[in-house]
Amino acid sequence: MNATLRRRLERAVRVRDFIRAHRTDGAGEATALTRLEELIQRADALATQQRAGVVATRAATMQREELRHALQSKLLIYLAAVGAVAAKGNTELAPQFQLPRAGASNQGFLTAARGMLEKATAQKDLLVSRGMSAQLVDDLTATLTKFEQTLEATRAGRRDHVGASADLESVLSEITEQVRLLDGLVRYRFSDHAELMGAWASARNVLGPFKTRTEPPAEEGQAPEGTGPDAVKPAA
């Protein structure tokens, strides 16, 4: 959730708390408050889903980088070396075991690696006779499956994030409408109570509660503390 949406949600919580603290038995007030509470719960759930999508995407990206490194630096390079040896007696094998381009996209890398695996499976006996471990095909199959799963996890995480973000915008727009409604209600009930109206203004402020000065203002004709003729000046 970006900072603007977070501040709007925090404002909604402050508004809810204010109304709870000063509620009456009015039916209209109860309806508006209940709806605001429902919207806040929905917004919280969407924010959690949005965050989960981001976390899932990052985790999948980190795992995919590790798997790709293992494929490039260990499994595929071993298969390519065996393929080069086998191609000395069969020139048709030479192009079938070429390593994927280092700069290939993840999907392009997966396609090329699966092509190598398919050829290795078909020529397994020959490749084993040229020095390939029989376990390599199984290891390569398992690693590529995990690699493909990280791509799907990334897509799912992005869907969750984008979907939650769109729904969150909609919910926060409705929350804004409810805050306006409650603003009218508060003004109707408390317009003659300056202290409560000040608290309400602070609650509905998007940037957060108003901060009050801790020092009393200087009296008329009096210089602020530390600026008069008797003020201690710092050493030169």
Side-chain angles (χ1 to χ4, degrees):
M1 185 189 302
N2 64 40
T4 300
L5 297 182
R6 187 181 303 108
R7 286 195 295 267
R8 288 167 62 186
L9 182 55
E10 290 171 351
R11 174 184 67 172
V13 171
R14 294 195 302 271
V15 167
R16 177 201 65 192
D17 293 344
F18 180 95
I19 299 298
R20 281 177 175 176
H22 302 91
R23 65 182 301 176
T24 64
D25 295 329
E29 175 187 336
T31 299
L33 176 59
T34 298
R35 182 54 182 160
L36 179 62
E37 290 172 336
E38 292 172 349
L39 290 169
I40 290 174
Q41 290 178 354
R42 176 60 177 158
D44 284 337
L46 288 170
T48 299
Q49 178 183 337
Q50 186 188 56
R51 176 60 181 169
V54 172
V55 171
T57 300
R58 289 176 178 171
T61 298
M62 292 177 62
Q63 183 185 15
R64 184 165 55 251
E65 290 175 352
E66 293 176 358
L67 292 170
R68 182 160 176 166
H69 177 72
L71 286 164
Q72 289 176 314
S73 64
K74 183 171 63 175
L75 300 176
L76 292 179
I77 200 170
Y78 178 25
L79 179 56
V82 176
V85 173
K88 291 182 178 179
N90 187 347
T91 56
E92 294 180 359
L93 292 178
Q96 297 179 4
F97 297 103
Q98 293 183 356
L99 290 170
R101 292 184 301 104
S105 66
N106 287 316
Q107 190 59 54
F109 176 85
L110 177 62
T111 299
R114 284 209 173 279
M116 292 180 67
L117 174 60
E118 182 179 342
K119 297 303 181 182
T121 302
Q123 301 289 337
K124 183 175 179 179
D125 292 341
L126 173 61
L127 294 174
V128 169
S129 70
R130 296 296 189 274
M132 184 184 79
S133 169
Q135 185 65 31
L136 179 60
V137 170
D138 292 338
D139 290 343
L140 189 53
T141 299
T143 305
L144 286 175
T145 297
K146 292 178 181 178
F147 186 88
E148 189 169 20
Q149 289 171 347
T150 67
L151 292 176
E152 177 54 36
T154 294
R155 289 190 287 267
R158 287 174 178 168
R159 285 195 300 268
D160 287 345
H161 178 267
V162 172
S165 297
D167 289 346
L168 187 58
E169 284 277 8
S170 177
V171 170
L172 286 172
S173 293
E174 192 171 349
I175 283 177
T176 299
E177 294 176 357
Q178 290 299 120
V179 170
R180 291 196 188 104
L181 172 61
L182 290 167
D183 180 54
L185 175 64
V186 169
R187 290 176 186 276
Y188 173 71
R189 287 180 53 199
F190 302 124
S191 60
D192 295 331
H193 299 270
E195 184 176 351
L196 283 179
M197 289 305 297
W200 171 247
S202 180
R204 66 184 298 273
N205 175 28
V206 176
L207 298 180
F210 296 132
K211 296 181 179 179
T212 58
R213 294 175 58 90
T214 56
E215 295 181 2
E219 297 181 2
E220 185 175 357
Q222 176 180 343
E225 183 179 352
T227 61
D230 297 330
V232 177
K233 298 182 180 180

